[in-house]
């Protein structure tokens, strides 16, 4: 089918095809999806990048033109496209899909792009280098494991911001991920690695493509949670 005639049902069928995939198979799926990703996610009203960037911007203090941003699970570059409109200029990106990185490179917004399967390979970012570390949509069951949260914190400068979103669960495994992640966030705060800035619900961030209703006014949406932390200024904690 021509891309210009794609429908929500086409996207639903596409996403159903990855059920049962492991992380490497899923990245190959994203490789094949990369060229129509932006078009398809707009079709299903994928608002997570907009919500997250607005959330960060409302709570960020600093010179946007000077800060270094690490966009983790950057995909095709949707987050950088939004952040540059707000004055952010310097981006590095990491993703597990080569096809997605190729799309991100086409934006011309990233000074550095690296391929890494998070949770299996280390986050390819130097410790303590970034003013902002942001990850949108990937902290969820079957995608990026909770253990990566510490790597996000490591990549931030002392005083830097770590901005994360999590998909709220609709399954037992998803609920286990939520509990595990929130325990880790609290533990890291107790360890003095970072301080909590703000948490906010991410309302209706994407159409629930697995439960499309025939009545367009009755479509179901997925919700999520957004978190903002600030890395401790006590550099001795990291040496």
């Amino acid at each position: 089918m021509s891309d210009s005639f794609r429908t929500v049902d086409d996207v639903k069928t596409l996403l159903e095809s990855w059920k049962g995939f492991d992380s490497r198979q899923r990245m190959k799926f994203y490789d094949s999806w990369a060229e129509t990703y932006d078009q398809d996610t707009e079709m299903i009203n994928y608002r997570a990048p907009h919500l997250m960037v607005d959330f960060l911007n409302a709570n960020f203090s600093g010179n946007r033109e000077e800060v270094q941003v690490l966009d983790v699970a950057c995909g095709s570059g949707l987050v950088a496209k939004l952040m540059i409109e707000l004055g952010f200029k310097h981006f590095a990106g990491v993703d597990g899909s080569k096809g997605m990185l190729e799309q991100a490179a086409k934006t011309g917004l990233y000074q550095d792009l690296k391929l890494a399967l998070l949770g299996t390979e280390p986050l390819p970012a130097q410790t303590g280098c970034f003013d902002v570390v942001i990850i949108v949509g990937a902290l969820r069951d079957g995608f990026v494991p909770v253990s990566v949260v510490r790597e996000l914190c490591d990549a931030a400068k002392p005083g830097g911001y770590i901005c994360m979103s999590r998909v709220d669960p609709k399954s037992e495994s998803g609920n286990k991920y939520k509990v595990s992640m929130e325990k880790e966030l609290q533990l890291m705060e107790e360890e003095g690695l970072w301080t909590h800035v703000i948490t906010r619900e991410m309302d209706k961030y994407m159409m629930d493509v697995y439960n499309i209703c025939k009545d367009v006014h009755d479509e179901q949406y997925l919700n999520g949670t957004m978190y903002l932390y600030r890395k401790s200024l006590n550099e001795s904690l990291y040496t």
Side-chain angles (χ1 to χ4, degrees), residues 115-128:
L115 180 69
L117 186 61
L118 301 177
T120 300
E121 301 167 328
L123 179 67
Q126 190 173 347
T127 300

Side-chain angles (χ1 to χ4, degrees), residues 26-237:
R26 189 170 285 116
M27 289 306 103
K28 289 182 179 178
F29 168 87
Y30 273 102
D31 288 343
S32 64
W33 189 20
E35 288 192 7
T36 62
Y37 178 81
D38 287 3
Q39 172 191 339
D40 290 348
T41 52
E42 183 176 355
M43 192 180 305
I44 59 174
N45 201 19
Y46 180 57
R47 300 170 57 239
H50 293 81
L51 294 171
M52 283 286 286
V53 170
D54 287 347
F55 173 66
L56 171 66
N57 189 53
N59 296 283
F60 177 81
S61 59
N63 187 330
R64 288 158 175 76
E65 293 188 357
E66 295 179 359
V67 302
Q68 301 291 324
V69 179
L70 178 62
D71 184 5
V72 181
C74 65
S76 62
L78 293 176
V79 166
K81 289 177 184 177
L82 295 170
M83 290 185 71
I84 202 163
E85 294 177 1
L86 299 173
F88 296 90
K89 293 183 179 298
H90 306 288
F91 301 95
V94 176
D95 201 88
S97 163
K98 183 178 179 182
M100 285 293 187
L101 288 176
E102 289 171 353
Q103 296 301 311
K106 290 178 182 179
T107 68
L109 300 178
Y110 294 88
Q111 288 76 55
D112 186 36
L113 288 165
K114 287 188 169 66
L115 180 69
L117 186 61
L118 301 177
T120 300
E121 301 167 328
L123 179 67
Q126 190 173 347
T127 300
C129 281
F130 294 92
D131 302 279
V132 173
V133 178
I134 185 167
I135 181 168
V136 180
L139 288 170
R140 57 187 298 189
D141 180 54
F143 285 75
V144 173
V146 170
S147 59
V148 171
V149 170
R150 287 183 180 261
E151 297 181 65
L152 303 178
C153 183
D154 287 343
K157 293 178 180 178
Y161 292 87
I162 301 94
C163 190
M164 303 168 285
S165 71
R166 191 202 67 243
V167 178
D168 281 348
K170 282 196 172 184
S171 65
E172 182 178 351
S173 60
N175 191 60
K176 287 180 179 178
Y177 188 100
K178 173 184 177 180
V179 170
S180 177
M181 179 174 169
E182 294 191 342
K183 283 183 178 179
E184 184 74 340
L185 299 179
Q186 180 64 34
L187 180 60
M188 290 172 64
E189 190 170 6
E190 292 171 0
E191 292 173 1
L193 299 177
W194 60 16
T195 57
H196 176 249
V197 178
I198 188 170
T199 296
R200 181 169 295 168
E201 296 304 305
M202 184 168 56
D203 185 46
K204 294 184 177 180
Y205 81 90
M206 187 183 83
M207 188 183 298
D208 185 350
V209 294
Y210 298 109
N211 293 287
I212 300 296
C213 297
K214 291 183 179 179
D215 183 349
V216 70
H217 300 295
D218 243 0
E219 288 169 348
Q220 298 182 40
Y221 282 78
L222 297 173
N223 297 319
T225 305
M226 301 181 288
Y227 304 89
L228 187 64
Y229 284 82
R230 198 165 189 184
K231 186 171 177 175
S232 172
L233 290 169
N234 186 354
E235 296 186 60
S236 65
L237 290 170

